[in-house]
Amino acid sequence: MDMKKECVAMLLAGGQGSRLHVLTANVAKPAVPFGGKYRIIDFPLSNCVNSGIDTVGVLTQYQPHELNAYIGSGQPWDLDRLDGGVQLLPPYLKSEGSSWYKGTANAIYQNIGFVDNYDPEFVIILSGDHIYKMDYSLMLRSHRETQSAATIAVIDVPENEASRFGIMNIREDDTVYEFEEKPKAPKSTLASMGVYVFTWKILRDYLIKDEGDPKSQNDFGSDVIPKMLADGQKLTVYRHSGYWKDVGTITSLWDANMDTLAPLGGVNLYDPAWRIYSRNPTAPPHFTGENAAISHSLITEGCCIDGEVSNSVLFSNVTVDETAVVQYSILMPGVVVERGAVVKYAIVAENARVCAGARVGQDPDGTDDWGVAVVASGVRVGPGKTLAAAQMTDVDL
């Protein structure tokens, strides 16, 4: 057994992210670039370190290669430790058989041995596909003080959006009496953030029972939490009042990136007391040419800008040539926008090229058909070609 830990974090990072379409065709959703120099998984990993949690299991499954390489030894997050640190946990072959992770609860069940190595009092379950900053130590304190079996982080959402989330219905003392998964007529607006603190001995028993139930979907939201409620276990909510965004769709990913440009509206990337750590490429300083016109944008190292860039997020090593225009767009690492090309309201993935005179996306026109245009990784939009609003391409045009 390794050194005992008070709390072990289990980060669920194996999701396909199918609603991100071409952006996750070859990469797991937590590895999708975000905010100019980060990837989505940087946020829960940084939250762990900043909260004093130094033992993190990262459960991978779908297209894990890039995510595994990115996390590596965990050095950027100070998780390259002999005692604890970060450990990648893919499904593996066992003597009694093996399977892919069948659900969120099954993923933790298959790694009971990893958690037991540290004999923790508590386990915190995290999702690898949300953008937020949160001090988990305060949530752990609340869990201890209330002596709950489980504590579930929640955020108050607008009433007209509540049906998109798992909703917690609570009593006056913040204990949960009912969990509803995406209800048509929600009784409250407290949405689960996908962050759970469990007392490990209690959760361990429920995971074993859930695995033995042939009718179970092996999921926390649809199986484990409702079963705990039915058994009379004490479940409480922990209210989060800061920024939180589920970036599981093209629109929400674009929105969250645009939020980084809002001084008060998005996640604060500049707070020295709560840094977001990442693995960054070695690149020269960004360069702005004599023709460059840049406003209200994030420009990262290695960029060469000689065109117009406004209200946009540019990752490392992006090139925007003279007379090119980029507006309200996200250009991921290595993108090239050639002379005279126009990119508006678009997400252009890594190492894609928008050739001279091409057009990607367009200004909002007020119709339901309008949306963000998306160019997949490595795709070439040929000279003079057009990719209209809401369209996506994973082949050269």
Side-chain angles (χ1 to χ4, degrees), residues 36 68 78 151 154 160 191 219 229 241 289 301 320 344 347 372 388:
N68 291 351
D78 192 27
T151 300
V154 296
N160 62 347
D219 185 78
L229 284 171
S241 59
E301 61 265 29
V320 179
K344 292 186 176 184
I347 300 175
V372 174

Side-chain angles (χ1 to χ4, degrees), residues 125-164:
I125 311 295
L126 307 170
S127 173
D129 51 10
H130 298 147
I131 302 298
Y132 66 109
K133 292 162 65 173
M134 182 177 179
D135 189 342
Y136 300 141
S137 69
L138 299 180
M139 186 174 175
L140 278 166
R141 182 193 302 172
S142 174
H143 182 81
R144 283 193 300 266
E145 290 174 350
T146 59
Q147 298 182 332
S148 299
T151 300
I152 302 158
V154 296
I155 191 164
D156 201 7
V157 298
E159 188 172 352
N160 62 347
E161 296 182 14
S163 60
R164 296 173 43 223

Side-chain angles (χ1 to χ4, degrees), residues 167-185:
I167 296 296
M168 296 292 163
N169 297 320
I170 64 171
R171 304 178 183 91
E172 289 185 1
D173 62 355
D174 279 350
T175 58
V176 180
Y177 69 85
E178 184 182 32
F179 172 75
E180 295 182 290
E181 182 64 40
K182 298 180 180 179
K184 293 182 179 179

Side-chain angles (χ1 to χ4, degrees), residues 229-248:
L229 284 171
D231 289 348
Q233 294 284 356
K234 184 177 182 180
L235 277 65
T236 58
V237 297
Y238 177 81
R239 298 168 187 263
H240 177 67
S241 59
Y243 182 87
W244 178 84
K245 192 84 165 183
D246 181 344
V247 288

Side-chain angles (χ1 to χ4, degrees), residues 145-294:
E145 290 174 350
T146 59
Q147 298 182 332
S148 299
T151 300
I152 302 158
V154 296
I155 191 164
D156 201 7
V157 298
E159 188 172 352
N160 62 347
E161 296 182 14
S163 60
R164 296 173 43 223
F165 299 95
I167 296 296
M168 296 292 163
N169 297 320
I170 64 171
R171 304 178 183 91
E172 289 185 1
D173 62 355
D174 279 350
T175 58
V176 180
Y177 69 85
E178 184 182 32
F179 172 75
E180 295 182 290
E181 182 64 40
K182 298 180 180 179
K184 293 182 179 179
K187 300 173 186 175
S188 84
T189 56
L190 291 179
S192 170
M193 295 170 57
V195 177
Y196 311 99
V197 173
F198 290 97
T199 300
W200 174 238
K201 288 182 180 179
I202 296 174
L203 175 61
R204 192 181 191 280
D205 288 342
Y206 274 93
L207 292 174
I208 293 170
K209 292 175 185 176
D210 181 72
E211 188 64 21
D213 181 358
K215 297 181 181 179
S216 176
Q217 299 177 52
N218 306 122
D219 185 78
F220 280 108
S222 60
D223 301 287
V224 174
I225 289 174
K227 180 61 175 172
M228 293 178 75
L229 284 171
D231 289 348
Q233 294 284 356
K234 184 177 182 180
L235 277 65
T236 58
V237 297
Y238 177 81
R239 298 168 187 263
H240 177 67
S241 59
Y243 182 87
W244 178 84
K245 192 84 165 183
D246 181 344
V247 288
T249 66
I250 294 295
T251 299
S252 63
L253 179 64
W254 182 87
D255 283 342
N257 273 277
M258 291 298 108
D259 286 345
T260 65
L261 301 176
L264 301 176
V267 63
N268 182 2
L269 301 176
Y270 303 95
D271 181 2
W274 201 271
R275 295 190 184 279
I276 303 301
Y277 302 99
S278 64
R279 186 181 297 279
N280 293 310
T282 301
H286 71 264
F287 173 78
T288 55
E290 62 181 358
N291 301 300
I294 302 171

Side-chain angles (χ1 to χ4, degrees), residues 29-48:
K29 180 164 59 171
V32 170
F34 177 84
K37 61 182 300 179
Y38 308 99
R39 294 180 187 255
I40 296 170
I41 199 169
D42 288 329
F43 289 82
L45 284 176
S46 298
N47 286 339
C48 284

Side-chain angles (χ1 to χ4, degrees), residues 284-289 292 294 298-309 313-326 330-343 348-356:
H286 71 264
F287 173 78
T288 55
I294 302 171
L298 295 182
I299 310 295
T300 316
E301 61 265 29
C303 288
C304 293
I305 313 298
D306 204 25
E308 177 190 331
V309 177
V313 177
L314 274 57
F315 287 76
S316 60
N317 300 310
V318 166
T319 299
V320 179
D321 286 342
E322 183 181 354
T323 70
V325 175
V326 177
I330 303 160
L331 306 187
M332 292 182 180
V335 167
V336 175
V337 183
E338 295 183 357
R339 292 175 61 92
V342 177
V343 179
V348 185
E350 297 177 70
N351 299 314
R353 178 177 288 267
V354 182
C355 294

